[in-house]
Amino acid sequence: MIDFHCHLDLYPDPHAIARECVARGLYILSVTTTPSAWAGTAALAHEAPRIRTALGLHPQIAHERKGELPLLERLLPDVRYVGEIGLDGGPEYKRHWQDQVFVFTRILELCAGVGGRVLTIHSRRAAVSVLDALEAHPGAGTPILHWFSGTQRELARAVDLNCWFSVGPAMLASEKGRALAAKMPRDRLLTETDGPFAQLEGSMALPWDAERAITLLADMWTEPETAVRDRLATNLRRLGTA
Ligand code: MN
């Protein structure tokens, strides 16, 4: 099972969650929201080769943490995964839009400068601007739009731009989320939870709740769950070699 976007470091007991992920054999992309969180979060994956740690600077705190860009630049040559990065066009974050665009654009430039990275990207209420930035930085790497919530038209453009997608049970709980997921290429899709931010029935999502996304995808694709698991495993391998 795969949770390709969760915030291990933000759970109340990150070590316990990481141990449980190892015990269950989960493949995890453990994302960070600040460059200064990278070292501590990467330590959670010590001796856990299936847990990969991504170097990020979350758009919702870009204005507070833009001073950490030089640290991100120093760490970048040694990491394979970048995120959580992106843009957030929600009304509560719009006033820091300039900082968000500056930070996101700079990170894409830096990624292009080191030959590209696997990117996990936030695009809430900002799909057009995120896609414009990706189009302008084709060398930045392989973009994975996490919990995509744009329009069908924006999704079609993302597909044309060779984006990948990660979908989780919280997203697939809504009719709109399922309609978007149904149009995502099955060979460019991974599961995620966005825990502990994402909530499932009022509790924080746990990495192994990605299981629920598999059930929902099997239903959507009218495929057995084993076939869905195989597809996702194949996708993860292909991403690793992309
Ligand atoms: Mn997230």
Side-chain angles (χ1 to χ4, degrees):
M1 203 194 324
I2 299 161
D3 182 355
F4 218 68
H5 184 112
C6 70
H7 299 261
L8 274 191
D9 61 334
L10 301 182
Y11 283 101
D13 186 350
H15 289 279
I17 301 287
R19 276 197 303 275
E20 184 66 20
C21 291
V22 171
R24 292 174 182 245
L26 263 65
Y27 290 88
I28 301 285
L29 186 63
S30 164
V31 306
T32 54
T33 55
T34 65
S36 52
W38 194 83
T41 307
L44 292 170
H46 182 61
E47 292 181 354
R50 292 184 177 186
I51 303 179
R52 303 295 171 87
T53 308
L55 171 66
L57 208 170
H58 198 289
Q60 293 174 351
I61 52 173
H63 58 290
E64 293 167 355
R65 300 303 187 108
K66 58 188 174 185
E68 293 187 30
L69 276 173
L71 174 60
L72 184 141
E73 185 173 1
R74 279 201 300 281
L75 295 170
L76 188 60
D78 298 318
V79 305
R80 286 178 58 196
Y81 302 90
V82 169
E84 178 165 3
I85 57 169
L87 298 172
D88 191 309
E92 63 277 51
Y93 304 108
K94 208 60 202 255
R95 63 202 174 99
H96 301 298
W97 184 252
Q98 305 276 34
D99 283 334
Q100 290 192 47
V101 171
F102 170 75
V103 165
F104 182 47
T105 306
R106 180 72 186 135
I107 294 172
L108 293 177
E109 284 168 7
L110 291 169
C111 288
V114 293
R117 291 292 184 263
V118 172
L119 313 163
T120 180
I121 298 175
H122 176 110
S123 58
R124 174 180 173 257
R125 300 201 190 190
V128 169
S129 301
V130 164
L131 295 176
D132 286 346
L134 292 175
E135 194 165 36
H137 299 88
T142 306
I144 306 174
L145 301 180
H146 112 86
W147 198 334
F148 185 77
S149 57
T151 63
Q152 286 282 351
R153 198 188 163 92
E154 289 155 0
L155 173 63
R157 184 175 168 216
V159 171
D160 286 344
L161 286 171
N162 287 319
C163 291
W164 287 54
F165 303 89
S166 57
V167 304
M171 170 183 167
L172 297 172
S174 80
E175 188 88 36
K176 185 191 172 190
R178 286 194 299 276
L180 287 165
K183 293 284 175 60
M184 293 171 179
R186 295 181 194 187
D187 62 351
R188 280 191 251 150
L189 193 104
L190 294 167
T191 46
E192 66 161 52
T193 64
D194 202 16
F197 285 134
Q199 301 269 310
L200 294 170
E201 285 116 38
S203 310
M204 58 192 174
L206 294 158
W208 41 94
D209 288 324
E211 182 76 30
R212 305 200 206 180
I214 295 174
T215 306
L216 290 157
L217 289 170
D219 187 49
M220 175 183 300
W221 294 342
T222 57
E223 280 186 352
E225 288 192 15
T226 51
V228 174
R229 279 175 214 283
D230 286 349
R231 253 186 217 286
L232 297 170
T234 303
N235 291 350
L236 184 62
R237 273 196 301 276
R238 225 177 57 255
L239 186 67
T241 56

